[in-house]
Amino acid sequence: MNGTRKPVHLAVYDTLADWETGHATAHLARAGYTVRTVAPTTAPVTSIGGLHVQPDLALADLRPEDSSLLVLPGADLWDTGDDLAPFARTARAFLAAGVPVAAICGATAGLAREGLLDDRRHTSAVSFYLAATGYAGGERYVEADAVTDRGLITAGPTEPVAFAREILGLLGVYEGEVLDAWYRLFHDSDPEAYAVLEKAGAA
């Protein structure tokens, strides 16, 4: 199955928020996607939780045509300077090429600074967090757990399960009642949802 699907690329950088992408990457891998990590260089990075990650490739070597999706987790570095701005520019190139992007937490602010949220419905931690970037998309901010608009997924830092739900739905891993059941199981611990997934062979 891996040979028939392009990889999903997970951005990794120092101070990345460990908890924000685990649901998505685990279930993408179970569905047959290869998850490859991409960093500013191929030098190891350290997450906010102290995990050391050896990247698979450098950002300069990433091309939209080689990817199914670019996932941008939050990190302190999104708000402390321009170190991660190249990832926002890469997100622009992905969207222009018709390849989806998923951004959570601080990465949404990076995309706001890049102008990618000015004309798309989106969400984040809170509206005033993005407003502080000076972006022009405030009227399109949505109070929701996660939002998908024209190939771009956004979510706040407390919504890793909803973030994963949008990713899994966008890539067609789960759909309809199965996707809803997946969300209810992992977000609400709903035992009835497990039965739906088991019946569908997705448990």
Side-chain angles (χ1 to χ4, degrees):
M1 189 180 297
N2 287 354
T4 64
R5 290 174 167 168
K6 295 177 182 178
V8 167
H9 288 91
L10 171 67
V12 295
Y13 18 70
D14 288 332
T15 74
L16 78 93
D18 316 79
W19 65 91
E20 293 176 345
T21 60
H23 286 88
T25 55
H27 288 271
L28 287 170
R30 290 186 68 179
Y33 282 92
T34 298
V35 178
R36 301 196 72 201
T37 52
V38 55
T41 70
T42 55
V45 300
T46 304
S47 76
I48 200 169
L51 299 180
H52 300 290
V53 181
Q54 178 64 58
D56 292 314
L57 74 161
L59 183 61
D61 297 324
L62 177 62
R63 304 185 306 167
E65 58 265 35
D66 296 330
S67 184
S68 290
L69 171 73
L70 174 62
V71 182
L72 300 173
D76 292 344
L77 287 180
W78 282 110
D79 296 319
T80 58
D82 296 328
D83 290 355
L84 301 185
F87 285 91
R89 291 193 291 271
T90 297
R92 176 180 290 281
F94 265 61
L95 293 170
V99 182
V101 173
I104 186 170
C105 189
T108 62
L111 298 193
R113 294 185 190 98
E114 182 65 20
L116 295 174
L117 305 185
D118 289 349
D119 61 354
R120 287 180 172 86
R121 294 172 65 255
H122 58 276
T123 194
S124 184
V126 287
S127 60
F128 57 80
Y129 169 63
L130 291 187
T133 68
Y135 84 130
E139 291 184 355
R140 293 176 174 80
Y141 187 90
V142 180
E143 294 289 351
D145 55 10
V147 173
T148 300
D149 188 1
R150 290 163 39 223
L152 178 60
I153 296 168
T154 51
T158 61
E159 299 293 348
V161 180
F163 185 59
R165 178 196 66 212
E166 297 299 299
I167 290 172
L168 298 174
L170 185 67
L171 293 183
V173 173
Y174 303 131
E175 298 176 328
E177 70 169 4
V178 175
L179 180 62
D180 177 66
W182 182 91
Y183 178 75
R184 287 188 289 111
L185 177 63
F186 287 95
H187 187 266
D188 304 325
S189 301
D190 183 348
E192 294 182 4
Y194 183 81
V196 175
L197 294 177
E198 190 173 41
K199 182 179 180 180

